[in-house]
Amino acid sequence: MALIDNAVYVAGRRVGSPSTLSPDTRGDLAWIGLLRPDDAELAAVASEFDLHENAVEDARKGHQRAKLERYGDTLFLVLRPAWHRTDTNEVEFGEVHLFVGDRFVISVRHAAKPDLAALRCRVEADPEFLAKGSEAVTAAVLDEVVDGYAPVVEVLQDQVDAIEDQLFAGQVDPGVSKRIYQLLSEVLAFQRATTPVPAMVQGLLRGADKYGVDDEVQHRLRNVLDHALRVTERVDSFRALLENALTLHATLVSQEQNEAMRRMTSASLAQGEESRQLARAAHKQGEEVKKISSWAAILFAPGLIAGVYGMNFDHMPELHWRYGYPAAIVAMLALAGILWVVFRKRNWL
């Protein structure tokens, strides 16, 4: 059986550890600890102590939200202890179910933490407090769970501070955004575990006078309430800071992208201006080439005529013609003029 400890107390002192579970403790208080009991074991406990079937079903299934419920004369509490694992750098959660009656406390754990055996030793070391009854054990378990939240809060604080330092340093690494999402997910889970605790303790305090809860136990519960409120306030601030950090990181990323786009646009404009200058230079060069080619063609025409009649052949047409020279000059000028007019109309000159 998943029985961790089964003790009977009289006046706050252990008087026996019976091997069987029974509401007839023959003492003031029975404190029974179970770890991951199976269905048959839970059914046996429920039958012996007349536990409500709804509460037993919740304890059997696990994965319950933190809550406080009353079934007749029995209280049913679900607590979500938390701790930080250094090997994975993550927050993990356990689950503790408490059945609290007038003369008995039954704890059902679904994780190895918190170590209620160590808590039992500390409580047994103070028999005067343990003599206050099942309410004293309930207050001690609540105190143990809430005190376990403090180290987690400090780790989360360090991680939130590290993210803020990265953002204020202007780092827009996509890994920062991923880490914010992961940390925000842990904070939300931690918030779901811690937020119901103050209301649970307040509920216990409201019924304290009605059920004759000892003043020292009430003082212990008020101390637990104070710690729980401080935890929930800090967790609420973590959530707000991380949501703002996520918004800030998105803004920084957007600004970086806009700046990169602006640089790319500037570079593109500069490249375009350079291309336009090259195009203008090429166009200007082409115009110069056209002018040079045009004048070369105009000068080539007279040279062609002069070259033909400068070959000094004896038998050439019009070689001894009286008007040959003026005709050659006129032909040269006419051909050059025609070429000039043609090139001018084509805007080559």
Side-chain angles (χ1 to χ4, degrees):
M1 188 175 184
L3 179 63
I4 301 301
D5 201 349
N6 178 24
V8 177
Y9 301 90
V10 174
R13 300 184 183 278
R14 183 190 285 249
V15 296
S17 300
S19 59
T20 59
L21 303 176
S22 173
D24 182 17
T25 60
R26 286 178 286 182
D28 297 334
L29 174 68
W31 185 357
I32 302 163
L34 303 174
L35 176 62
R36 301 188 186 95
D38 57 28
D39 294 349
E41 292 164 350
L42 268 180
V45 174
S47 176
E48 289 290 344
F49 290 88
D50 193 24
L51 303 179
H52 196 277
E53 59 181 4
N54 291 343
V56 174
E57 181 67 13
D58 287 345
R60 183 184 68 82
K61 289 182 177 179
H63 304 289
Q64 302 294 312
R65 61 179 179 85
K67 61 182 178 179
L68 168 64
E69 295 176 340
R70 177 174 288 276
Y71 297 94
D73 295 330
T74 303
L75 286 175
F76 177 61
L77 293 85
V78 179
L79 300 172
R80 300 298 308 276
W83 60 92
H84 177 258
R85 288 189 56 176
T86 55
D87 55 341
T88 61
N89 197 30
E90 294 178 350
V91 178
E92 289 197 354
F93 300 91
E95 196 166 343
V96 176
H97 302 260
L98 288 182
F99 297 90
V100 182
D102 182 40
R103 297 174 58 200
F104 67 87
V105 176
I106 302 171
S107 65
V108 179
R109 286 185 293 152
H110 290 272
K113 293 185 178 182
D115 186 1
L116 295 185
L119 172 65
R120 186 191 292 261
C121 292
R122 292 195 298 272
V123 174
E124 288 178 347
D126 187 4
E128 184 178 349
F129 180 74
L130 186 54
K132 309 297 182 184
S134 58
E135 295 87 357
V137 176
T138 304
V141 174
L142 279 166
D143 196 13
E144 178 75 8
V145 171
V146 172
D147 284 347
Y149 292 150
V152 178
V153 169
E154 296 305 320
V155 170
L156 292 176
Q157 180 70 69
D158 292 340
Q159 294 177 346
V160 170
D161 291 343
I163 287 176
E164 286 185 327
D165 291 341
Q166 287 179 305
L167 292 179
F168 285 124
Q171 297 183 15
V172 292
D173 183 359
V176 176
S177 179
K178 180 180 179 181
R179 181 56 189 145
I180 294 174
Y181 273 115
Q182 292 174 338
L183 188 56
L184 182 57
S185 177
E186 291 184 2
V187 168
L188 291 175
F190 191 50
Q191 190 178 44
R192 287 191 293 270
T194 58
T195 298
V197 175
M200 294 167 60
V201 179
Q202 289 169 345
L204 292 174
L205 287 171
R206 282 194 298 269
D209 293 334
K210 177 180 178 181
Y211 292 97
V213 178
D214 186 84
D215 290 342
E216 186 177 348
V217 175
Q218 293 188 48
H219 177 72
R220 182 80 169 264
L221 288 174
R222 282 191 288 270
N223 185 61
V224 172
L225 176 60
D226 181 60
H227 291 172
L229 287 173
R230 277 187 284 178
V231 168
T232 55
E233 288 172 358
R234 293 188 67 181
V235 174
D236 290 343
S237 69
F238 293 160
R239 178 176 180 176
L241 286 171
L242 289 173
E243 288 175 346
N244 292 335
L246 198 58
T247 302
L248 175 59
H249 185 260
T251 302
L252 291 175
V253 170
S254 178
Q255 290 178 347
E256 181 68 18
Q257 290 175 343
N258 291 339
E259 181 63 22
M261 186 63 68
R262 188 191 63 80
R263 290 194 296 266
M264 291 176 60
T265 302
S266 299
S268 178
L269 291 174
Q271 185 177 9
E273 181 62 26
E274 183 178 356
S275 297
R276 284 192 294 271
Q277 291 177 356
L278 290 173
R280 285 195 294 267
H283 178 71
K284 184 177 180 180
Q285 185 178 11
E287 292 296 320
E288 295 296 332
V289 170
K290 287 193 292 183
K291 290 180 180 180
I292 294 172
S293 300
S294 300
W295 285 112
I298 292 172
L299 294 175
F300 173 74
L304 177 62
I305 296 175
V308 169
Y309 285 94
M311 291 187 292
N312 296 320
F313 288 106
D314 289 335
H315 302 286
M316 292 184 65
E318 294 85 27
L319 186 61
H320 299 286
W321 185 34
R322 181 178 181 180
Y323 301 104
Y325 175 74
I329 295 300
V330 171
M332 292 178 186
L333 294 175
L335 185 56
I338 292 171
L339 290 174
W340 185 87
V341 171
V342 171
F343 291 145
R344 188 71 176 178
K345 285 183 177 182
R346 294 185 179 182
N347 293 320
W348 284 31
L349 293 174

